[in-house]
């Protein structure tokens, strides 16, 4: 029987409920039914489930934004075929270009239903095919983390070969940004908290790593590393708690791609560096269907494989969320179900 996770009647991981559900409706001409086999966990998913992201959500709701699976039934106008391996775009109505209000309001895992189910029927136009060589567990990490990293670096950051990139930490977006930037010919500096994580980041291709607990002014150190002017693109996942250092690190006219709030959403911050250095401080909210396809194309062309920190069974979603909250992971945390 198909199974599905819901957040039932109140926020919090204790209100997560896994149950058997009916088979999804048969697809019409423009739809496809997918058997999801892998899901990745995002920081946003934890915030959504715990009520810290959108407290106006109504219950019950299906969590999770990322999944990869296999088409098991397809309408003749769906654009996919039985047996195709696919992911679903994060915001179904965001087809190309920049976002609009409709795209921002219709995102999977809240406020529209997420993908924490083993079987679903969706419009075929929501789906993007997975390149050969990428497992479903690996593909499940792309629609949010991989797409966000690609949009930050390429579509908004204008990254070119030979430029210098700074990535913060070792979470999913940061590690994807490291891998993509190296594949596109950039040099990468990473920050992290421990020597064990620093060693792993070097294995993944980081040209230099700063351990920020030992260097509270790591922004200045990063700027000196990228002498004479500084970093071209900063992938800023910390938020207000790290933004001052990122502004110090970036070159005049460079881009700070603001993605997350891991280190906090508010702080006293001087805007003078933005003015004096003409810094482009660019918010990044995942990406469109077209960006998802472009990201998967680059991943396939370069033979990239995301870092999977730990794999949990589908029924262990609360454990996966707890592991994410611990901050001990490097790369992505995934769920799988092959039953």
């Amino acid at each position: 029987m198909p199974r599905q996770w819901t957040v039932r009647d109140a926020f919090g991981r204790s209100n997560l409920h896994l149950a058997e559900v009916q088979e999804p409706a048969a697809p019409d001409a423009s739809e496809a039914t997918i058997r999801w086999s892998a899901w990745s966990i995002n920081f946003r998913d934890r915030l959504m489930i715990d009520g810290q992201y959108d407290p106006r959500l109504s219950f019950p709701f299906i969590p999770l934004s990322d999944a990869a699976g296999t088409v098991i039934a397809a309408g003749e106008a769906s654009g996919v075929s039985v047996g195709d391996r696919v992911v679903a775009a994060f915001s179904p109505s965001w087809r190309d270009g920049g976002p609009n209000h409709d795209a921002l309001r219709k995102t999977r895992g809240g406020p529209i239903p997420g993908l924490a189910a083993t079987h679903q029927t969706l419009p075929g136009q929501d789906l993007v095919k997975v390149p050969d060589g990428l497992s479903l567990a690996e593909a499940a990490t792309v629609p949010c983390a991989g797409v966000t990293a690609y949009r930050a670096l390429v579509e908004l950051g204008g990254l070119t070969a030979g430029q210098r990139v700074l990535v913060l930490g070792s979470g999913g977006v940061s590690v994807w940004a490291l891998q993509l930037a190296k594949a596109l010919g950039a040099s990468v500096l990473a920050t992290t908290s421990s020597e064990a994580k620093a060693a792993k980041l070097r294995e993944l291709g980081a040209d230099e790593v700063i351990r920020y607990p030992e260097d509270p002014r790591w922004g200045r150190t990063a700027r000196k590393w990228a002498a004479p002017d500084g970093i071209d693109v900063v992938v800023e996942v910390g938020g207000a708690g790290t933004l001052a250092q990122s502004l110090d690190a970036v070159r005049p006219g460079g881009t700070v791609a603001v993605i997350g709030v891991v280190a906090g959403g508010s702080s006293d911050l001087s805007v003078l560096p933005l003015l004096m250095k003409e810094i482009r401080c660019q918010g990044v909210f995942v990406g469109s269907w077209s960006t998802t396809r472009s990201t998967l194309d680059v991943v396939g062309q370069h033979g990239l494989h995301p870092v999977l920190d730990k794999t949990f069974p589908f029924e262990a979603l609360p454990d996966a969320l707890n592991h994410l909250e611990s901050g001990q992971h490097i790369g992505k945390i995934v769920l799988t179900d092959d039953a």
Side-chain angles (χ1 to χ4, degrees):
M1 284 287 293
R3 292 173 295 155
Q4 177 178 282
W5 281 101
T6 56
V7 181
R8 284 196 288 187
D9 49 15
F11 289 113
R13 276 161 269 179
S14 62
N15 290 303
L16 279 166
H17 179 65
L18 177 64
E20 291 185 348
V21 293
Q22 293 183 338
E23 296 280 350
D28 65 21
S30 63
E31 294 178 326
T33 301
I34 308 97
R35 196 325 184 174
W36 300 121
S37 298
W39 303 257
S40 73
I41 308 298
N42 298 289
F43 187 66
R44 176 184 184 272
D45 296 323
R46 185 184 71 76
L47 295 180
M48 196 72 74
I49 290 167
D50 288 345
Q52 298 170 350
Y53 194 100
D54 185 353
R56 298 168 298 178
L57 285 177
S58 56
F59 302 100
F61 71 89
I62 306 170
L64 303 191
S65 302
D66 284 358
T70 305
V71 175
I72 58 174
E76 61 271 22
S78 65
V80 295
S81 303
V82 171
D84 283 346
R85 302 183 315 137
V86 296
V87 296
F90 171 71
S91 178
S93 62
W94 186 2
R95 301 302 297 172
D96 205 347
N100 55 36
H101 284 297
D102 189 60
L104 299 178
R105 286 195 300 263
K106 294 180 179 178
T107 54
R108 300 192 192 281
I112 69 171
L115 304 177
T118 57
H119 299 70
Q120 287 182 322
T121 295
L122 298 175
Q125 67 174 6
D126 293 4
L127 306 175
V128 184
K129 295 179 184 179
V130 173
D132 294 338
L134 203 63
S135 72
L136 289 177
E138 292 171 330
T141 73
V142 173
C144 282
V147 168
T148 299
Y150 179 85
R151 182 159 170 79
L153 291 171
V154 179
E155 293 187 346
L156 298 174
L159 185 69
T160 59
Q163 289 191 319
R164 288 77 50 91
V165 172
L166 170 62
V167 300
L168 275 56
S170 55
V173 172
S174 296
V175 172
W176 257 124
L178 165 59
Q179 292 180 280
L180 286 164
K182 292 299 294 183
L184 296 171
S187 298
V188 179
L189 169 65
T191 68
T192 194
S193 60
S194 69
E195 183 52 42
K197 288 185 175 181
K200 180 62 175 179
L201 291 168
R202 291 189 188 98
E203 286 179 20
L204 292 170
D207 297 279
E208 186 59 77
V209 181
I210 298 173
R211 292 173 60 184
Y212 60 80
E214 301 171 3
D215 187 357
R217 295 193 63 183
W218 49 264
R220 178 178 58 178
T221 304
R223 174 162 42 85
K224 291 180 177 178
W225 174 79
D229 292 324
I231 299 292
D232 295 291
V233 183
V234 180
V235 180
E236 166 57 78
V237 299
T242 54
L243 186 55
Q245 294 302 313
S246 293
L247 294 176
D248 193 6
V250 73
R251 66 167 171 82
T255 298
V256 177
V258 182
I259 294 166
V261 292
V262 175
S266 61
S267 175
D268 292 332
L269 180 71
S270 172
V271 299
L272 284 176
L274 285 168
L275 307 177
M276 301 301 293
K277 294 168 65 176
E278 290 197 345
I279 296 167
R280 183 183 300 107
C281 201
Q282 173 69 58
V284 183
F285 187 67
V286 195
S288 66
W289 179 93
S290 179
T291 304
T292 306
R293 184 179 61 182
S294 295
T295 304
L296 283 164
D297 285 346
V298 169
V299 168
Q301 290 163 9
H302 291 274
L304 298 180
H305 294 275
V307 177
L308 304 185
D309 176 84
K310 191 170 183 179
T311 300
F312 292 83
F314 180 63
E315 57 268 22
L317 173 58
D319 295 332
L321 291 165
N322 292 338
H323 183 58
L324 176 72
E325 187 175 34
S326 77
Q328 299 304 306
H329 60 292
I330 298 176
K332 294 296 293 180
I333 299 163
V334 299
L335 308 172
T336 59
D337 184 79
D338 298 322

